[in-house]
Coordinates of all heavy atoms in Angstrom, one line a residue:
L1 N 0.8 -1.2 0.0 CA 0.0 0.0 0.0 C 0.9 1.3 0.0 O 0.6 2.2 -0.7 CB -0.9 0.0 1.2 CG -2.1 -1.0 1.2 CD1 -2.8 -1.0 2.5 CD2 -3.0 -0.7 0.0
V2 N 1.9 1.2 0.8 CA 2.8 2.4 0.8 C 3.5 2.6 -0.5 O 3.6 3.7 -1.0 CB 3.9 2.2 1.9 CG1 5.0 3.3 1.8 CG2 3.2 2.3 3.3
A3 N 3.9 1.5 -1.2 CA 4.6 1.6 -2.5 C 3.6 2.1 -3.5 O 4.0 2.9 -4.4 CB 5.2 0.2 -2.9
A4 N 2.4 1.6 -3.5 CA 1.4 2.0 -4.5 C 1.1 3.5 -4.3 O 0.9 4.2 -5.3 CB 0.1 1.2 -4.3
D5 N 1.0 3.9 -3.0 CA 0.7 5.4 -2.8 C 1.9 6.2 -3.3 O 1.7 7.3 -3.9 CB 0.6 5.6 -1.3 CG 0.3 7.0 -0.9 OD1 -0.6 7.6 -1.6 OD2 0.9 7.5 0.0
A6 N 3.1 5.8 -3.1 CA 4.3 6.5 -3.6 C 4.3 6.6 -5.2 O 4.6 7.6 -5.7 CB 5.6 5.9 -3.1
V7 N 3.9 5.5 -5.8 CA 3.9 5.5 -7.3 C 2.8 6.4 -7.8 O 3.0 7.2 -8.7 CB 3.6 4.0 -7.8 CG1 3.3 4.0 -9.3 CG2 4.9 3.2 -7.5
V8 N 1.6 6.4 -7.2 CA 0.5 7.3 -7.6 C 0.9 8.7 -7.4 O 0.7 9.6 -8.2 CB -0.8 6.9 -7.0 CG1 -1.9 7.9 -7.2 CG2 -1.3 5.5 -7.4
S9 N 1.5 9.0 -6.3 CA 1.9 10.4 -6.0 C 3.0 10.9 -7.0 O 2.9 12.0 -7.5 CB 2.5 10.5 -4.5 OG 1.5 10.2 -3.6
L10 N 3.9 10.0 -7.3 CA 4.9 10.4 -8.3 C 4.3 10.6 -9.7 O 4.7 11.5 -10.4 CB 6.0 9.3 -8.3 CG 7.2 9.6 -9.2 CD1 8.0 10.8 -8.7 CD2 8.1 8.3 -9.2
L11 N 3.4 9.8 -10.0 CA 2.7 9.9 -11.3 C 2.0 11.2 -11.4 O 2.0 11.9 -12.4 CB 1.7 8.8 -11.5 CG 0.9 8.7 -12.8 CD1 1.9 8.5 -14.0 CD2 -0.1 7.7 -12.8
I12 N 1.3 11.6 -10.3 CA 0.6 12.9 -10.3 C 1.6 14.1 -10.4 O 1.4 15.0 -11.2 CB -0.2 13.1 -9.0 CG1 -1.4 12.1 -9.0 CG2 -0.7 14.5 -8.8 CD1 -2.1 12.0 -7.7
V13 N 2.7 14.0 -9.7 CA 3.7 15.0 -9.8 C 4.3 15.2 -11.3 O 4.4 16.3 -11.8 CB 4.9 14.8 -8.8 CG1 6.1 15.7 -9.1 CG2 4.4 15.0 -7.4
V14 N 4.5 14.0 -11.9 CA 5.1 14.0 -13.3 C 4.0 14.6 -14.2 O 4.4 15.4 -15.1 CB 5.5 12.6 -13.7 CG1 5.7 12.5 -15.2 CG2 6.7 12.2 -12.9
V15 N 2.8 14.3 -14.1 CA 1.7 14.8 -15.0 C 1.6 16.3 -14.8 O 1.5 17.0 -15.8 CB 0.4 14.1 -14.7 CG1 -0.8 14.8 -15.4 CG2 0.4 12.7 -15.2
V16 N 1.6 16.8 -13.6 CA 1.5 18.2 -13.3 C 2.8 18.9 -13.9 O 2.6 20.0 -14.5 CB 1.4 18.5 -11.8 CG1 1.6 20.0 -11.5 CG2 0.0 18.1 -11.3
F17 N 3.9 18.4 -13.7 CA 5.2 19.0 -14.3 C 5.1 19.0 -15.8 O 5.5 20.1 -16.4 CB 6.4 18.2 -13.8 CG 7.7 18.7 -14.3 CD1 8.2 19.8 -13.8 CD2 8.3 18.0 -15.4 CE1 9.4 20.3 -14.3 CE2 9.5 18.5 -15.9 CZ 10.1 19.7 -15.3
V18 N 4.7 18.0 -16.4 CA 4.6 18.0 -17.9 C 3.6 19.0 -18.4 O 3.8 19.7 -19.4 CB 4.3 16.5 -18.4 CG1 3.9 16.5 -19.9 CG2 5.5 15.6 -18.2
C19 N 2.4 19.0 -17.8 CA 1.4 20.0 -18.2 C 1.9 21.4 -18.0 O 1.6 22.3 -18.8 CB 0.1 19.8 -17.4 SG -0.7 18.2 -17.9
A20 N 2.6 21.7 -16.9 CA 3.1 23.1 -16.7 C 4.2 23.4 -17.7 O 4.3 24.5 -18.1 CB 3.6 23.2 -15.2
R21 N 5.0 22.4 -18.0 CA 6.0 22.7 -19.0 C 5.5 23.0 -20.4 O 6.0 23.8 -21.1 CB 7.0 21.5 -19.0 CG 8.2 21.7 -19.8 CD 9.3 20.9 -19.2 NE 10.5 21.0 -20.0 CZ 11.6 21.7 -19.6 NH1 11.6 22.3 -18.5 NH2 12.6 21.7 -20.4
L22 N 4.4 22.3 -20.8 CA 3.8 22.5 -22.1 C 3.2 23.9 -22.2 O 3.2 24.5 -23.2 CB 2.8 21.4 -22.3 CG 3.3 20.0 -22.6 CD1 2.1 19.0 -22.8 CD2 4.2 20.0 -23.8
R23 N 2.7 24.4 -21.1 CA 2.0 25.7 -21.1 C 3.1 26.8 -21.2 O 2.7 27.9 -21.6 CB 1.2 25.9 -19.9 CG -0.1 25.1 -19.9 CD -1.0 25.5 -18.7 NE -1.2 26.9 -18.6 CZ -2.3 27.5 -19.0 NH1 -3.3 26.8 -19.5 NH2 -2.5 28.8 -18.8
S24 N 4.3 26.6 -20.8 CA 5.3 27.6 -20.7 C 6.1 27.8 -22.0 O 7.0 28.5 -22.1 CB 6.2 27.4 -19.5 OG 7.0 26.3 -19.7
R25 N 5.8 27.0 -23.0 CA 6.5 27.1 -24.3 C 6.2 28.5 -25.0 O 5.0 28.9 -24.9 CB 6.1 26.0 -25.2 CG 6.7 24.7 -24.8 CD 6.5 23.7 -25.9 NE 7.1 22.4 -25.6 CZ 6.9 21.3 -26.2 NH1 6.0 21.2 -27.2 NH2 7.5 20.2 -25.8
P26 N 7.2 29.0 -25.7 CA 6.9 30.3 -26.4 C 6.0 30.1 -27.6 O 5.9 28.9 -28.1 CB 8.3 30.8 -26.8 CG 9.1 29.5 -26.8 CD 8.5 28.6 -25.7
T27 N 5.5 31.1 -28.1 CA 4.6 31.0 -29.3 C 5.4 30.7 -30.5 O 6.6 31.1 -30.6 CB 3.8 32.3 -29.5 OG1 4.7 33.4 -29.7 CG2 2.9 32.6 -28.3
Q28 N 4.8 30.1 -31.5 CA 5.6 29.7 -32.7 C 5.3 30.7 -33.9 O 5.9 30.6 -34.9 CB 5.1 28.3 -33.1 CG 5.4 27.3 -32.1 CD 6.8 27.1 -31.8 OE1 7.7 27.2 -32.7 NE2 7.2 26.7 -30.6
D29 N 4.4 31.7 -33.6 CA 4.1 32.6 -34.8 C 5.0 33.8 -34.9 O 4.9 34.6 -35.8 CB 2.6 33.0 -34.7 CG 2.3 33.7 -33.3 OD1 3.2 33.9 -32.5 OD2 1.1 34.1 -33.1
G30 N 5.9 34.0 -33.9 CA 6.9 35.1 -34.0 C 6.3 36.5 -33.6 O 7.0 37.4 -33.6
K31 N 5.1 36.5 -33.2 CA 4.5 37.8 -32.8 C 4.7 38.1 -31.3 O 4.9 37.1 -30.5 CB 3.0 37.8 -33.0 CG 2.6 37.7 -34.5 CD 1.1 37.7 -34.7 CE 0.7 37.5 -36.1 NZ -0.7 37.4 -36.3
I32 N 4.7 39.3 -30.9 CA 4.8 39.7 -29.5 C 3.5 40.2 -29.0 O 2.9 41.2 -29.6 CB 5.9 40.8 -29.3 CG1 7.3 40.3 -29.8 CG2 5.9 41.2 -27.9 CD1 8.4 41.3 -29.8
Y33 N 3.0 39.5 -28.0 CA 1.7 39.9 -27.5 C 1.9 40.7 -26.2 O 2.4 40.1 -25.2 CB 0.8 38.6 -27.2 CG 0.5 37.9 -28.4 CD1 1.3 36.8 -28.9 CD2 -0.7 38.2 -29.1 CE1 0.9 36.1 -30.0 CE2 -1.0 37.5 -30.2 CZ -0.2 36.5 -30.7 OH -0.6 35.8 -31.8
I34 N 1.6 41.9 -26.2 CA 1.9 42.8 -25.0 C 1.0 42.5 -23.9 O 1.4 42.4 -22.7 CB 1.9 44.3 -25.4 CG1 3.0 44.5 -26.5 CG2 2.1 45.2 -24.2 CD1 2.9 45.9 -27.1
N35 N -0.3 42.5 -24.1 CA -1.3 42.4 -23.0 C -1.7 41.0 -22.7 O -2.8 40.7 -22.1 CB -2.5 43.2 -23.3 CG -2.2 44.7 -23.3 OD1 -1.3 45.1 -22.5 ND2 -2.8 45.5 -24.1

């Protein structure tokens, strides 16, 4: 049970990290959005 809890917690952390990293990518269109 402790090992399963650690695996699920690690999986949640990895998913959050990947999602946050995908959102922080710069735009690909070359425009600068001020606001």
